[in-house]
Amino acid sequence: MNSDSRYERGKLALAQIDGDAGQAVIDSLADIAPDLGRYVIEFGFGDIYSRPGLDLRSREVATIAALTAMGNARPQLKVHIKAGLNVGLSQHEIVETIMQMAVYAGFPAALNGISAAKEVFGETA
Amino acid sequence: MNSDSRYERGKLALAQIDGDAGQAVIDSLADIAPDLGRYVIEFGFGDIYSRPGLDLRSREVATIAALTAMGNARPQLKVHIKAGLNVGLSQHEIVETIMQMAVYAGFPAALNGISAAKEVFGETA
Amino acid sequence: MNSDSRYERGKLALAQIDGDAGQAVIDSLADIAPDLGRYVIEFGFGDIYSRPGLDLRSREVATIAALTAMGNARPQLKVHIKAGLNVGLSQHEIVETIMQMAVYAGFPAALNGISAAKEVFGETA
Amino acid sequence: MNSDSRYERGKLALAQIDGDAGQAVIDSLADIAPDLGRYVIEFGFGDIYSRPGLDLRSREVATIAALTAMGNARPQLKVHIKAGLNVGLSQHEIVETIMQMAVYAGFPAALNGISAAKEVFGETA
Amino acid sequence: MNSDSRYERGKLALAQIDGDAGQAVIDSLADIAPDLGRYVIEFGFGDIYSRPGLDLRSREVATIAALTAMGNARPQLKVHIKAGLNVGLSQHEIVETIMQMAVYAGFPAALNGISAAKEVFGETA
Amino acid sequence: MNSDSRYERGKLALAQIDGDAGQAVIDSLADIAPDLGRYVIEFGFGDIYSRPGLDLRSREVATIAALTAMGNARPQLKVHIKAGLNVGLSQHEIVETIMQMAVYAGFPAALNGISAAKEVFGETA
């Protein structure tokens, strides 16, 4: 498979999953590190999110959990909370996923994740 | 609800989800920090894993993703890879969840997660 | 012991230790994840901070040290710097605790911790 | 104050606090990075641990909490669990400090910290 | 070598490497933790950055990489992106260093690092 | 550029940089997650390490610094300490890079990095 098709496939997946928020990330890189934007599309979305074997809802549960637990990537967490809604997770399921991180990464991580969700839910209400 | 019922409910959830591996963790705490084992059961399993609103398969996807991304809790990651199998995730879905962490936490986290999965799959084969 | 008494005991401990800042955290969760606020009270304060065996001053030294070292939970660090003052730590002792983290988590963690302390001390002056 | 006195003061503090375990760390660096060992003594112990303003027991509570929460420095955590015993913390206080980290860094960090403490307590029994 | 000379040597190195941004960090500590500022100068710059055996360009590549990967120290990352320019790294080399972190610490770390670089390059343009 | 050429270019870069250790990582994935091995080659080495704009020595300084600072990826740190030697870094430069991390990620990270270097230098002596 050539690189063009990875890019095209990734671009479709990005639009489907992240919507406008994903494209905004790519656009913000255009004048400083455009290839990093290309890699997000090609590797992140063309390679990984396009894989069979795990449904998109589970993929977003995994990403929301990981970014909440890591606790150092709030902008990306917000993009993926939106993405979770886009692929069919309910607000309730997203809140449960974030709350569960209290067990594994501690309450501050969960509290800050909920704060991010509150911002996203407010914007998309 | 009183504490006894949280404990009883947590104990059932622990047995269902983590199987023997979960009880082994509790047992290892008995002589040094038994209350920490009690909190794992009461809060982790009696409170969090017993909540409605997110199915157990999604909960284990979230935990496997978070522990892989954090990269500093291999024993617990192995317990939850087993737990994922117990609640119905396929080996294939677990591998996909771990691989996806390469995007969010880097390749070393994903590689070390796969190494943990390989050990678990070998033991349970 | 039933859950009501854990909640009541936790609420008293929260008020004693964190003061208004703790209640503000709980309030901010009311419309999105009220059970997370309940767990903060029940588990964090009703179970852990209410335990005998370690005095409250030492508990806040431990928390300030941990949150400074983790470096990804500034709101919670500020709450616990206030809590440290509430339970009898001096500004000087809090500064020493944060400075010591330069040895274990590096200078950026210590510098950002001191910046959080400066904000809290300014607000409470 | 000249560097010699920082080194001498640090060496005394290291011996008092870490005992043989501290010197073993310094010795292990002698053939590859002796200056790193010197910095541990001069900065870590000659500068930081020798400061007035926070008692040694509190300093070890802070260090044990931070290393437990970070979760990626087990050898150093074990050295400082021993150091905690050396400066007068009881096993019980050390266990409480580590358990409390479940709230801030999650249960895996606390469980792995307890496992380190169990090894140290077993060796020093 | 006495402490005065460490301080003087560190002060020169700080001015050469970090420029005004470094001094601003020291100044911000003057009223709350002046000794932490002194340790930044003495240990960070007088001891470490003044060592032979690794050129300053490589030292700044190392620091920019580490702070990008850790993802919890944006103010310090910005100081060291400026420092990288001061010691002769091109904007292009700094962008490459940050992008490479996508492999080791994940895309969010790299994206947030690029965002910090964009701010610094805009200020220094 | 098609995917075959990314793979071929990555394979050459992997062999040049990581030598046998890199191939061993790929081989270990063959039966459980072969595509993760392919992504390491295609993205890590075919895309990133093959980029112009930053020399290979600087790229390995960046990677050794990041993995030392993160402190949760010892196997990968060892692979890249070997890689650093392969692309022309001296043992001395690698030790300096790792030591510098004491400033940014704390002494435990630096000490554990030196311990990894000692193992690698012993194996390659």
Side-chain angles (χ1 to χ4, degrees), chain E residues 17-28:
Chain E
I17 296 168
D18 279 6
D20 292 346
Q23 190 56 46
V25 171
I26 305 303
D27 292 346
S28 74

Side-chain angles (χ1 to χ4, degrees), chain A residues 43 48-49 51-54 58-59 61-63 65-66 69-70 80 92-93 96-97 99-101 103-105 107, chain B residues 43 48-49 51-54 58-59 61-63 65-66 69-70 80 92-93 96-97 99-101 103-105 107:
Chain A
F43 175 61
I48 296 289
Y49 277 91
R51 293 178 63 83
L54 190 70
S58 295
R59 290 197 183 276
V61 166
T63 300
M70 294 168 74
H80 280 280
H92 190 81
E93 289 171 314
E96 287 294 326
T97 301
M99 277 179 61
Q100 184 172 316
M101 293 304 104
V103 181
Y104 299 102
F107 279 86
Chain B
F43 174 62
I48 296 290
Y49 276 92
R51 294 177 63 83
L54 190 69
S58 296
R59 289 196 184 277
V61 166
T63 299
M70 295 168 73
H80 281 279
H92 190 80
E93 288 171 315
E96 288 293 326
T97 300
M99 277 180 61
Q100 184 172 314
M101 293 304 104
V103 181
Y104 299 102
F107 279 85

Side-chain angles (χ1 to χ4, degrees), chain E residues 27-121:
Chain E
D27 292 346
S28 74
L29 296 165
D31 61 346
I32 182 166
D35 286 349
L36 184 59
R38 184 164 61 80
Y39 297 144
V40 169
I41 291 172
E42 288 180 355
F43 175 61
F45 290 87
D47 284 344
I48 296 289
Y49 277 92
S50 298
R51 292 177 63 83
L54 191 69
D55 60 285
L56 279 180
R57 291 172 84 264
S58 295
R59 288 195 184 277
E60 286 302 333
V61 166
T63 300
I64 292 167
L67 293 176
T68 298
M70 295 168 73
N72 61 0
R74 189 184 182 97
Q76 290 75 30
L77 176 57
K78 289 183 68 176
V79 168
H80 280 280
I81 289 170
K82 275 182 220 163
L85 296 172
N86 289 343
V87 301
L89 290 172
S90 68
Q91 288 193 3
H92 190 81
E93 288 171 314
I94 290 169
V95 166
E96 287 294 325
T97 301
I98 294 172
M99 279 180 60
Q100 183 171 317
M101 293 303 104
V103 181
Y104 297 102
F107 279 86
L111 291 168
N112 293 331
I114 291 292
S115 155
K118 198 169 174 172
E119 285 181 23
V120 174
F121 296 166

Side-chain angles (χ1 to χ4, degrees), chain A residues 56-81:
Chain A
L56 279 181
R57 289 173 85 266
S58 295
R59 290 197 183 276
E60 287 301 333
V61 166
T63 300
I64 291 167
L67 293 175
T68 298
M70 294 168 74
N72 60 2
R74 190 183 181 98
Q76 289 76 30
L77 175 58
K78 290 183 65 176
V79 167
H80 280 280
I81 290 170

